[in-house]
Amino acid sequence: MDPKSAYRELVERGRELAYLRALGALAGWDQRTYIPERGHAHRAKAFAALTGVVHRKATDPAIGRLLAAVEDSSLMEDPDVRANVIRWRRDYDRATRVPERLAVELAEAESAGESAWAEKRAQNDWAGFLPYLRRIVELKKAYAEAVGFEEELYDALLEDYEPGLTTREVARLFAELRPRALDLLKRIQASDRRPPVAILHRSYPQRDQEAFILEILPELGYDLRSGRLDPTLHPFAIRIHPGDVRITTRYFEDFFSAAFFGSVHEAGHAMYEQGLPEEHWGTPLGESVSLGVHESQSRMWENFVGRSLGFWRYFFPRAQKRFAALTGVTLEDFVFAINEVKPSLIRVEADEVTYNLHVLLRFELELALFRSELDPSDLPQAWNEKMRAYLGLEPATYADGVMQDVHWSGGSFGYFPTYTLGNVYAAQLFAAAERALGPLEERFARGEFGPLLAWLRANVHRHGRRYLPPELIERATGEPPTARYLNAYLEAKFGALYGL
Amino acid sequence: MDPKSAYRELVERGRELAYLRALGALAGWDQRTYIPERGHAHRAKAFAALTGVVHRKATDPAIGRLLAAVEDSSLMEDPDVRANVIRWRRDYDRATRVPERLAVELAEAESAGESAWAEKRAQNDWAGFLPYLRRIVELKKAYAEAVGFEEELYDALLEDYEPGLTTREVARLFAELRPRALDLLKRIQASDRRPPVAILHRSYPQRDQEAFILEILPELGYDLRSGRLDPTLHPFAIRIHPGDVRITTRYFEDFFSAAFFGSVHEAGHAMYEQGLPEEHWGTPLGESVSLGVHESQSRMWENFVGRSLGFWRYFFPRAQKRFAALTGVTLEDFVFAINEVKPSLIRVEADEVTYNLHVLLRFELELALFRSELDPSDLPQAWNEKMRAYLGLEPATYADGVMQDVHWSGGSFGYFPTYTLGNVYAAQLFAAAERALGPLEERFARGEFGPLLAWLRANVHRHGRRYLPPELIERATGEPPTARYLNAYLEAKFGALYGL
């Protein structure tokens, strides 16, 4: 086959798949926002129908032949063609290596697992949940064997979320973090400074919160002409297709931080998606590169920007005008309050210092599971031991411990590390941006968020999946991924706040 | 092939198609409610991708073979199987009779036509729009030739919206209506009674309107656990899938009727969809039968129920509590105001008496076009002549005349008659329901809407597409479709209001 025609057909097939997936993304958004209560059962079947169509199209043997026709040609000298074809080949091979029978069993076990998790967690019933989890771990091991790996099973799982990063590399990064995070937490707990968090728990009417968020996000760079904000139970950001990248948030009228920082976090994800090159839509060059890089964007906007003193130098007067609850509160007290460090049992409520310890714990347990050093039945005990060691806490229930997250029940092993990788990348990228642009907090204090976004657009967003995550980070920052910048950032920020 | 397996596969394929179409329906709902402004271009392409997938699946030659395997078997003695297979065969044959080239040309011409209509109408540019319309008429003639018809081309177009009803039959029904409607209008215009419509144009805050609608619709029988209400520009009802049937409305804060009666109208459509038998979802027995029958449900709830004196005997006290604008207004004045008869240029704003005249005009022009008795270029003159003859008005612009509706630009010829067929069926069904249940307004005055809905469920909704519309009407009412009941209803209702 003529390589040019083959490439053109690959692009067309990619676009068709992207548009079909877009309809699934929209249905997912709707399912988590506005679907009527009796619509859920049929919605699940609509997803299944679409998944079937998409899977058959994505694994069509014709794609293998089209790829081969381009791979053997001089078209590969075009860097765009080369990048797309390499990523397509990788995706196609991984998708086709999994026997259909295993894929179906896994999908069923994950679906059953998520339902069982919701039910058994509500009853704090670990023993009832264990058989589901055991089955998923077994199937995920078979899956990892099927797709293949370099050094160990867990590499194959990581590859789904953070391509190009090995278990060995993640373990090395986390080893840089662990002692420093534990030490910092210890010194913070010994400090006699305590943030005045009660000011965040006064009355913050939902309508005012929403108006405030909708006023501020566009100033950060989230384009509402290509997006929108809706309420939901579990916040998320989602690209339907170019021109439509939505975020959601959850409001508590007696807590300021949840909706506000949640929205800035999701807007960080959304700005990444809005910054992907539209001309490459439907091909890898138009896609985000990994969950870790995605999380670097959300965490950077949420924490490095949104929880900084400079940010609030600019926005606090407006917040005081909007919320009577902030009358008489000083800027410094407010910024200390939104940065409280306090060990807690629940990952999603954790602060910047303890968050990574929650993630490390999960990574270590997953690794032990997939190295068969730990049986699923031993998870609760191992969980509780690590919680004591890292955070000095022990959950009173399974629901607040080993059963708190949905990920494992849905087969998402290898996913948790990307949360902390996001923090690692965020710190490293933020430091590189400051080397290029000068101190950023001074800019934030003047309401200048454009330069940071432009730097991220140029160094991260516009590349899509051109580079693997470690290569992308190295090109953007001059160094391979390192936890040094995250350690330094946390030390400097929380050292100042807690007077260490 | 084994007939039982063949039938089972037909059902499975039907379900898959229904779920894929559900995702398209949801995307259509979203496009008309919450899509961000920059999302439209890509959304259109997502529809195109889905349409392609659905079309290929619906015209797959395997379906013809599966149908043949069942048609030749004793399975056809099962009435459900028989009904489904007959409808599937009809749909499949019609879809496969249109050459792909013509289908693509038509889809492109309709898409271009709708865009041109929006643009040219805003500029009142008939000459600029005419070439698009001419092309669509030509292609629709070719389409009608391709799908086939009994007596004349227009039959093939009607068949898309009102299967089983011929041009001859529609003309006969409309001939029953025309003189009576013109005479009634003349007498109303000669009456010296004038409804106090100013009371409807006081202040009706949107939030109060929405709360009022959401309070009342469930009492009529619209299940909000399987539905929702959202604001939009051009109101519609849409079933995504069972358990999810949504309506939309448009609010004017200085006009009560638009959102309220619009919502009751759409709820009428939605209650039909909510009443389709869920166990037949994905097969013809789970689908609505025609646009005319659909419109009979919406118009019945909007006008026969919602604009009746009995309805407001029950709800007016609540309306007065909700809206300060209604303080001191009498029930009788309010009911007269919401039933004002007044010739206007615009169909969608027309009252019950003049509405059908708008539809008759369009039907007569369409018929002349497809009988090649009228050239598209002669439409404006013919339009204006009929407007003068029927309503005594002449539009000052094309936008308020021949270009006012989107239908023709999108190729929807044969669609307009279903609006008046809806009124005809509504009157006939309502009369039959009263024969079974006794005077319904007395029930409405006590807040009893369940008996009417239950009668419609039993006599219309539960049948899906089991019968063709004329047969369905005859089974439900004991007579083939007749305009007699509509004539009598209009005469009685407006005779009383206007003291004729």
Side-chain angles (χ1 to χ4, degrees), chain A residues 72-88:
Chain A
D72 293 341
S73 78
S74 62
L75 267 191
M76 293 293 275
E77 288 159 24
D78 179 324
D80 286 7
V81 172
R82 184 180 180 77
N84 276 335
V85 167
I86 288 173
R87 302 292 170 238
W88 268 327

Side-chain angles (χ1 to χ4, degrees), chain A residues 42, chain B residues 15 239 242-243 275-282 286:
Chain A
H42 285 281
Chain B
R15 293 243 164 91
R239 176 164 71 159
L276 291 168
E278 184 170 345
E279 66 274 23
H280 290 303
W281 160 248

Side-chain angles (χ1 to χ4, degrees), chain A residues 140-141 144-145 149 151-158 167 370:
Chain A
K140 275 302 231 188
K141 284 181 176 176
E145 292 285 358
F149 50 85
E151 291 193 2
E152 60 175 305
L153 277 181
Y154 194 75
D155 286 346
L157 307 181
L158 268 181
T167 307
F370 282 85

Side-chain angles (χ1 to χ4, degrees), chain A residues 15 105 107 145 159 170 188 193 230 310 331 424 452 475 483 488:
Chain A
R15 292 242 164 91
E105 284 180 337
E145 292 285 358
E159 177 73 15
V170 172
I188 286 170
R193 291 202 195 164
D230 297 276
L331 170 66
V424 166
L452 173 61
R475 282 177 169 266

Side-chain angles (χ1 to χ4, degrees), chain A residues 114-130:
Chain A
E114 285 196 33
S115 300
W117 172 78
E119 187 195 327
K120 306 297 181 192
R121 178 172 183 261
Q123 302 158 353
N124 197 40
D125 178 8
W126 165 255
F129 177 58
L130 181 57

Side-chain angles (χ1 to χ4, degrees), chain B residues 98-108 135 139:
Chain B
V98 183
E100 188 170 331
R101 195 199 152 107
L102 174 58
V104 171
E105 283 180 337
L106 197 51
E108 285 169 357
R135 167 114 177 112
L139 289 168

Side-chain angles (χ1 to χ4, degrees), chain A residues 227-398:
Chain A
R228 46 179 296 122
L229 170 71
D230 297 276
T232 191
L233 206 60
H234 298 290
F236 61 97
I238 193 164
R239 176 164 73 157
I240 313 296
H241 46 56
D244 191 354
V245 184
R246 308 180 181 193
I247 64 170
T248 59
T249 198
R250 183 175 184 183
Y251 299 94
F252 297 91
E253 297 212 308
D254 61 354
F255 185 38
F256 172 81
S257 296
F260 185 81
F261 294 108
S263 296
V264 176
H265 179 99
E266 301 307 338
H269 283 303
M271 286 188 274
Y272 180 15
E273 295 282 340
Q274 288 185 335
L276 291 169
E278 184 171 345
E279 67 273 22
H280 290 303
W281 160 249
T283 75
L285 287 176
E287 293 168 3
S288 61
V289 63
S290 73
L291 288 190
V293 173
H294 233 302
E295 194 72 6
S296 77
Q297 304 301 292
S298 56
R299 299 285 288 183
M300 187 188 297
W301 287 99
E302 176 191 354
N303 293 325
F304 292 70
V305 182
R307 282 192 164 92
S308 73
L309 182 61
F311 181 95
W312 289 106
R313 272 196 205 290
Y314 186 67
F315 284 121
F316 193 61
R318 283 203 239 166
Q320 286 191 304
K321 222 176 262 175
R322 178 81 64 178
F323 302 105
L326 293 176
T327 308
V329 173
T330 67
L331 170 66
E332 290 69 22
D333 273 356
F334 179 77
V335 170
F336 194 13
I338 61 174
N339 282 295
E340 183 195 30
V341 174
K342 189 177 175 189
S344 72
L345 290 168
I346 308 298
R347 175 184 59 84
V348 297
E349 295 168 5
D351 55 79
E352 285 185 81
V353 174
T354 58
Y355 191 89
N356 298 314
L357 296 168
H358 285 273
V359 173
L360 265 54
L361 172 157
R362 286 158 177 78
F363 168 70
E364 290 156 14
L365 296 179
E366 289 188 351
L367 201 52
L369 278 177
F370 282 85
R371 285 176 173 171
S372 300
E373 297 164 2
L374 188 74
D375 187 81
S377 62
D378 298 327
L379 274 172
Q381 197 193 334
W383 179 287
N384 292 0
E385 278 168 18
K386 281 191 189 285
M387 277 302 284
R388 268 199 309 274
Y390 288 172
L391 295 171
L393 299 172
E394 185 158 340
T397 64
Y398 297 114

